[in-house]
Amino acid sequence: MSIAGLFPGQGSQSQGMLTDLASAFPIVNETFAQASQVLGRDLWQIVQHGPETALNSTENTQPLMLTAGVATWRVWQQQGGCVPVVMAGHSLGEYSALVAAGALDFAEAVSVVAERARLMQSAVPEGLGAMAAVLGMDDAEVMAACADAAQSEVVEAVNFNSPGQLVIAGHSTAIDRAIEALKARGGKKIVKLSVSVPSHCALMQPAATLLAKRLAEVKLKLSTLPVFHNVDAKPRTTAVDIAQALTEQLYRPVRWTDTVKALQQQFAIKAAVEFGPGKVLTGLNKRIDKQIEAVAVYDQASLEAALKVCGA
């Protein structure tokens, strides 16, 4: 069966994630130990015991989610799961996808992602930026409300997650104005998110400039397994272009709806398998294209179910 391998990003983390998989497959703990050695701090300890503030701190969450995605992928490989024909990741998940595809060394990815998190956190002082999820509204309506609310500040639609589910990001004050503008346009469900970094908007450009310098030092290589990127729902054909896509990703929108549609159109995928904690992407994918069988691998039961899909 033609499957796509997908990896979630920040927001899918939870305390105790992957504990069930780790109890059956030592490769999970081994993967976390490898990442912990790179960073000099015990990531599995944070997963198991928190505290919640440490788990949700951007500088921990990003390497944690990278490691969780790679650990789950390694379990899939050990258990003889079928090889995807294409891969993609949501935001940070692109790094997990590149590791799984063989385009990026895991230890190097851990180091880069930790730097990415640090740069993002330092780009905007705490409290200055914000994000909000907008449900049940048309994309054009959301973008128009953001344009009305900007008033020389930044507020943009940054995550096109599925039809009727967008996320906006920018200055906190502009986000507040946008929320009022969205309500005036009939918006009924707008939820401010508990994040410290306004990802994927213009406020991240200073961080992107610095990340580009770090990515220039990274050994990226092309893989026979294509990885589609969020910024335009397309793969890259050179290592330089991969680094450029990862740089632009910081301040350009995540076009997840377009990405899933592109995977289907170009590879006629029958199933999308999400590797990592939770099933956020699986829920989104069901809304994007109901013809794609969407499954997630995050514990032993879900692994067994996904392997059956693979063998169908």
Side-chain angles (χ1 to χ4, degrees), residues 36 38 71 88 94 138 150 169 176 178 184 198 218 262 273 293 296 308 310:
S36 297
V38 172
E94 277 188 16
D138 180 74
D176 289 340
V218 175
V273 182
E293 187 166 4
K308 288 177 182 175
C310 184

Side-chain angles (χ1 to χ4, degrees), residues 33-209:
Q34 188 181 354
S36 297
Q37 187 172 13
V38 172
L39 298 180
R41 61 184 185 272
D42 191 338
L43 295 181
W44 189 246
Q45 178 77 11
I46 296 172
V47 169
Q48 291 299 297
H49 304 292
E52 201 79 18
T53 51
L55 181 73
N56 293 325
S57 169
T58 292
E59 294 189 46
N60 288 326
T61 306
Q62 293 198 23
L64 280 171
M65 284 300 301
L66 165 71
T67 305
V70 172
T72 309
W73 166 249
R74 288 175 172 178
V75 170
W76 178 260
Q77 287 182 301
Q78 281 190 345
Q79 295 306 297
C82 53
V83 178
V85 295
V86 63
M87 287 187 170
H90 189 284
S91 184
L92 170 70
E94 277 188 16
Y95 288 83
S96 302
L98 288 166
V99 171
L104 177 59
D105 174 75
F106 175 55
E108 180 98 87
V110 172
S111 175
V112 171
V113 162
E115 179 70 0
R116 176 185 188 267
R118 187 189 67 78
L119 292 171
M120 290 175 70
Q121 189 67 71
S122 61
V124 180
E126 189 106 22
L128 187 66
M131 300 180 78
V134 183
L135 306 176
M137 292 191 74
D138 180 74
D139 291 1
E141 282 286 312
V142 175
M143 290 187 282
C146 287
D148 290 345
Q151 297 178 21
S152 78
E153 289 190 313
V154 172
V155 56
E156 302 166 359
V158 297
N159 284 20
F160 295 84
N161 285 331
S162 70
Q165 184 177 328
L166 273 73
V167 175
I168 61 175
H171 287 105
S172 295
T173 46
I175 289 287
D176 289 340
R177 289 194 298 271
I179 289 172
E180 292 309 310
L182 288 163
K183 288 178 179 176
R185 291 171 177 266
K188 291 184 171 53
K189 192 162 185 183
I190 304 150
V191 182
K192 259 189 141 172
L193 303 179
S194 298
V195 296
S196 57
V197 173
S199 303
H200 304 296
C201 73
L203 295 177
M204 287 292 108
Q205 283 187 309
T209 300

Side-chain angles (χ1 to χ4, degrees), residues 18 24 40 68 80 97 105 135 138 226 248 269 274 279 286 302:
L18 302 191
D105 174 75
L135 306 176
D138 180 74
E248 291 182 16
I269 58 171
E274 178 180 3
K279 44 190 175 181
K286 288 176 179 177
S302 61

